[in-house]
Amino acid sequence: GAVVSQHPSWVICKSGTSVKIECRSLDFQATTMFWYRQFPKQSLMLMATSNEGSKATYEQGVEKDKFLINHASLTLSTLTVTSAHPEDSSFYICSARDLAGGAGEETQYFGPGTRLLVL
Amino acid sequence: AQSVTQLDSQVPVFEEAPVELRCNYSSSVSVYLFWYVQYPNQGLQLLLKYLSGSTLVKGINGFEAEFNKSQTSFHLRKPSVHISDTAEYFCAVSAGNTGGFKTIFGAGTRLFVKA
């Protein structure tokens, strides 16, 4: 089946630094990837939709200059948290669509998540 | 726009007992419905989904859910739970929007299976 990986699985950084999280589709091409944030004991909140070769579409309330998303290839999307602060500490999860593989537009494959801790 | 309400934040249950996790949704358009499970510090795993057709959907790990359009519900059930079913369960709806297909998640229900 379709597999999505994330790297790193966890990261600790100092306040003010930038952190890059990678999301890869390992065995399919993902024209669309999604980035979610999940705070402890809460649900997943969609941050942005990333389409290969174009600018990401951010949800209301998500700062696009703080959360930089790049989807330069059909198998890789990156999320960069710029000038991270402790309130950015969260679990970040990506997902991807595999339309070419015959799955419907409603199907998403989720990565294992990246836990970010900003000190 | 669509929304999802999971009526129970926590559900404690004894091993081998039946369980039902409740989910209600609202939407002005037709939706697809999902149940996902999340184990600690892991991503989401799809349990089952309803796209169309039979309203009773069977998924992995012995779970099933029934789509009830009149009650706008999609409750998840399992006749006999195991300790290993302890996890967070998320109900989700997906529908086309002006910005494309989006998935909205419920707040989650923590299932705690006791020995």
Side-chain angles (χ1 to χ4, degrees), chain A residues 41-96:
Chain A
K41 301 187 186 301
Q42 294 187 31
S43 187
L44 280 72
M45 299 300 296
L46 180 65
M47 299 174 67
T49 302
S50 167
N51 291 297
E52 186 266 337
S54 63
K55 290 184 178 180
T57 302
Y58 290 82
E59 295 300 301
Q60 192 172 8
V62 178
E63 300 175 60
K64 62 180 181 180
D65 294 330
K66 180 167 185 63
F67 298 100
L68 301 179
I69 292 173
N70 183 281
H71 193 161
S73 78
L74 286 171
T75 59
L76 174 64
S77 176
T78 60
L79 168 67
T80 301
V81 183
T82 62
S83 186
H85 291 286
E87 58 266 29
D88 298 324
S89 298
S90 187
F91 194 49
Y92 292 87
I93 301 175
C94 74
S95 70

Side-chain angles (χ1 to χ4, degrees), chain B residues 67-84:
Chain B
F67 170 59
N68 189 317
K69 188 174 182 179
S70 62
Q71 296 186 7
T72 60
S73 67
F74 191 55
H75 301 332
L76 180 71
R77 292 189 284 263
K78 186 170 182 177
S80 176
V81 295
H82 302 288
I83 298 288
S84 58

